[in-house]
Amino acid sequence: MKKILLLALAVSAFSCKTETKPDYIVISGKITNKLPAELSINTQDQSFTEVIEVAADGTFTDTLTVEKGSYVLYDTKNPVFLYLDSGYNLNINYDAADFKNSLVISGEGAAENNYLIKKREKTPLLIGDNASFYSLNEADFKNKQLAIKDSLTALLNNTPGISEKFKTSEQKELHYNYLVGLNVYEKGHRYFTRDQEFKASDDFLKGLDGFDYSNESDYKESPSYKKIVTDHYVSEITEFMTKDSLSQEEAFFKTVKNIPSELIKNTFLFDFANQSMARSKDIESFYNTFMSISTNEDNKAVITEKYNKLTAVAKGKPSPKFVNYENYKGGTTSLDDLKGKYVYIDVWATWCGPCKREIPFLKELEKTYHDKNIEFVSLSIDKVSDREKWKKMIETENLQGVQLLADNDWKSDFVKDYQIQGIPRFILVDTAGNIVDPNAPRPSDPKLVEMLTELNI
């Protein structure tokens, strides 16, 4: 977590220089033209986030003790992707009105971060459009993957100032990324060529023969290695689901129990639980199974906290409230305003593809139940600053029901109380304001009509 470490910094100012790098990271800089509503440093999976104070003149500085790896400095609009390691002292400056062309990173660790910026810019250009890329035959695809790897390796080797430690780690990452490309080729080729019968030749993935799926160091440091390992175990899960007719949860827990590396097992287990427990139909069983397998006490504490919050929104419990949310038709609406009716809540956003795919089904439901004792509420978690975009979609799609805009997007109390981490999410509340189902079926799922029929709606 974040530590200010002022004492450590004061002591270092009066100490003799040594070759030992400090165990903290300093990031500072200045944002010109427009002060951000908020500036934060986050892991890319948002498991860690800390707000950084910005002065009135746009300057900021903070001292962190975090694990080395990938982070995002985010001002709610412009993301600065960073690689952080102990001893880094990064200065980050940009013009909020011209972010892409004005971003400048200097200081200790700048060479590595500027290389990564160039890598992110160059990679899409090397790949080209995905349809053409994945439609290549096996030989041409593999050759292009090798050419991409070689080009990025040359960029790495030709960037001055990069430490040997980082260079060694990045060379591994580039190789693993090459293997990731081969690993997803079959699915990508099927999708873009619309040839669902396509099967890669037996020797196409020869580079993965004898692959070590238990390298804990690479699992922690290389996103591509982690993806290879994840895909490997996801394949096992899918196989259990198919051959043994297990549910996804059952297949997952059966797979994870057999992962030999404790670190990988605990991380894989935690990542799944953190994202999926809220969608489980039996949260108590899910939680108990997680606790019986996990050996990481920190992970157990996080999931226990999540479990306690989820059980607070279990079937039969009073629903968390939303209060005075902006109503498209004017004024505001609170959940209590709808008491006396069942309330089917669709948590969505204009940028969410799966949400938009449910719209036609939701419209049909609203027609079918228009004179019944149920209210259909579409609760957008678009940013308040995107209000006009929200209004335009309501008009363009002729959306019906009660159209509301949450007060603080993902950070709205209602969203946090329900532990919503992915959308669309559907919630059914009864006439007294109690939860019928915190994970109600989607409008496209016939089980929803069955549920409403059982409730005599």
Side-chain angles (χ1 to χ4, degrees):
M1 299 299 286
K2 180 173 71 175
K3 295 180 181 178
I4 302 302
L5 297 178
L6 293 177
L7 179 60
L9 289 175
V11 170
S12 68
F14 296 98
S15 301
C16 296
K17 291 184 178 179
T18 68
E19 293 184 0
T20 303
K21 285 188 175 182
D23 62 356
Y24 54 82
I25 301 158
V26 177
I27 57 173
S28 60
K30 185 172 184 178
I31 303 171
T32 58
N33 249 330
K34 184 180 180 182
L35 286 179
E38 180 180 275
L39 184 67
S40 60
I41 185 77
N42 316 269
T43 50
Q44 294 193 12
D45 63 0
Q46 295 189 323
S47 59
F48 166 85
T49 183
E50 290 288 353
V51 174
I52 297 174
E53 292 185 12
V54 181
D57 63 354
T59 59
F60 60 90
T61 185
D62 211 343
T63 304
L64 310 168
T65 52
V66 292
E67 292 186 3
K68 70 176 178 180
S70 298
Y71 293 82
V72 183
L73 183 70
Y74 189 49
D75 65 4
T76 72
K77 182 180 180 181
N78 302 305
V80 182
F81 295 97
L82 297 172
Y83 175 81
L84 301 180
D85 196 1
S86 295
Y88 278 15
N89 190 331
L90 294 170
N91 190 258
I92 302 157
N93 298 278
Y94 62 87
D95 180 342
D98 189 20
F99 172 74
K100 185 177 180 180
N101 296 315
S102 64
L103 176 64
V104 175
I105 300 177
S106 58
E108 182 69 24
E112 291 82 355
N113 277 281
N114 285 316
Y115 155 76
L116 291 172
I117 289 173
K118 291 177 182 176
K119 175 186 172 183
R120 277 188 292 273
E121 292 173 349
K122 189 170 186 178
T123 300
L125 299 177
L126 293 170
I127 291 174
D129 71 278
N130 283 328
S132 299
F133 184 53
Y134 285 104
S135 295
L136 293 170
N137 62 44
E138 290 183 10
D140 289 342
F141 182 86
K142 186 173 286 189
N143 286 335
K144 188 162 185 176
Q145 273 289 94
L146 281 170
I148 292 170
K149 177 186 172 184
D150 290 344
S151 181
L152 295 177
T153 300
L155 174 64
L156 174 68
N157 292 333
N158 293 329
T159 300
I162 290 179
S163 70
E164 288 302 316
K165 176 184 171 184
F166 178 87
K167 188 174 291 187
T168 299
S169 176
E170 179 64 11
Q171 286 169 341
K172 283 186 178 182
E173 168 63 18
L174 292 175
H175 177 65
Y176 288 139
N177 188 61
Y178 162 74
L179 294 178
V180 166
L182 300 188
N183 213 19
V184 301
Y185 170 71
E186 185 175 277
K187 289 182 180 178
H189 192 80
R190 284 178 180 175
Y191 177 80
F192 286 107
T193 63
R194 303 185 185 281
D195 179 7
Q196 297 303 311
E197 302 301 316
F198 173 77
K199 179 78 175 172
S201 57
D202 292 340
D203 64 347
F204 184 73
L205 290 176
K206 194 172 182 180
L208 284 168
D209 288 351
F211 190 83
D212 178 11
Y213 294 99
S214 299
N215 189 319
E216 295 184 351
S217 175
D218 287 354
Y219 187 82
K220 288 193 294 184
E221 294 190 9
S222 168
S224 293
Y225 177 84
K226 185 175 182 179
K227 177 165 176 53
I228 292 171
V229 172
T230 299
D231 288 349
H232 170 71
Y233 288 119
V234 166
S235 294
E236 286 193 11
I237 292 167
T238 302
E239 190 172 348
F240 279 134
M241 291 173 66
T242 303
K243 289 186 176 181
D244 299 345
S245 299
L246 300 179
S247 68
Q248 184 187 49
E249 282 181 22
E250 292 170 329
F252 172 81
F253 286 125
K254 184 174 182 178
T255 297
V256 80
K257 285 178 182 178
N258 297 319
I259 295 177
S261 161
E262 282 297 302
L263 183 144
I264 293 175
K265 176 167 67 177
N266 280 319
T267 305
F268 193 52
L269 178 63
F270 176 76
D271 288 348
F272 179 77
N274 200 34
Q275 294 295 323
S276 303
M277 187 165 67
R279 295 192 295 272
S280 175
K281 289 299 181 184
D282 189 345
I283 291 173
E284 183 174 359
S285 176
F286 187 109
Y287 172 73
N288 290 334
T289 305
F290 170 88
M291 295 297 283
S292 70
I293 299 173
S294 177
T295 59
N296 184 296
E297 295 304 318
D298 289 340
N299 290 353
K300 284 184 175 182
V302 172
I303 296 303
T304 295
E305 182 181 2
K306 191 180 189 74
Y307 168 76
N308 290 335
K309 290 180 178 178
L310 287 171
T311 53
V313 289
K315 181 179 179 180
K317 296 286 182 71
S319 173
K321 308 288 182 66
F322 55 80
V323 179
N324 293 333
Y325 279 5
E326 179 180 346
N327 190 316
Y328 169 73
K329 292 183 178 179
T332 62
T333 299
S334 302
L335 183 59
D336 282 347
D337 296 336
L338 306 174
K339 271 191 176 181
K341 289 188 175 184
Y342 283 91
V343 184
Y344 182 71
I345 304 169
D346 169 14
V347 184
W348 73 295
T350 59
W351 44 261
C352 170
C355 301
K356 290 187 278 190
R357 286 196 288 273
E358 292 295 324
I359 288 176
F361 301 98
L362 182 59
K363 284 182 176 180
E364 286 301 314
L365 273 174
E366 289 166 343
K367 287 180 183 178
T368 302
Y369 289 90
H370 76 279
D371 58 348
K372 306 293 183 180
N373 192 37
I374 185 170
E375 201 76 68
F376 292 91
V377 175
S378 294
L379 179 56
S380 168
I381 58 169
D382 281 285
K383 292 184 181 299
V384 173
S385 59
D386 289 330
R387 179 185 287 106
E388 293 307 313
K389 184 178 179 182
W390 166 66
K391 288 183 175 180
K392 184 176 181 180
M393 178 166 284
I394 293 172
E395 295 166 2
T396 302
E397 297 292 336
N398 191 28
L399 302 184
Q400 302 300 310
V402 180
Q403 298 291 331
L404 304 180
L405 181 65
D407 60 353
N408 198 16
D409 51 85
W410 287 102
K411 296 179 183 178
S412 302
D413 287 342
F414 184 81
V415 175
K416 291 193 293 184
D417 287 343
Y418 266 105
Q419 294 286 290
I420 297 175
Q421 293 179 301
I423 54 174
R425 172 76 174 270
F426 299 91
I427 300 163
L428 183 61
V429 177
D430 69 16
T431 56
N434 297 320
I435 300 168
V436 176
D437 193 336
N439 285 286
R442 298 184 176 197
S444 59
D445 188 341
K447 290 181 180 178
L448 177 59
V449 172
E450 293 175 13
M451 178 183 288
L452 298 181
T453 301
E454 288 176 4
L455 292 169
N456 294 318
I457 298 176

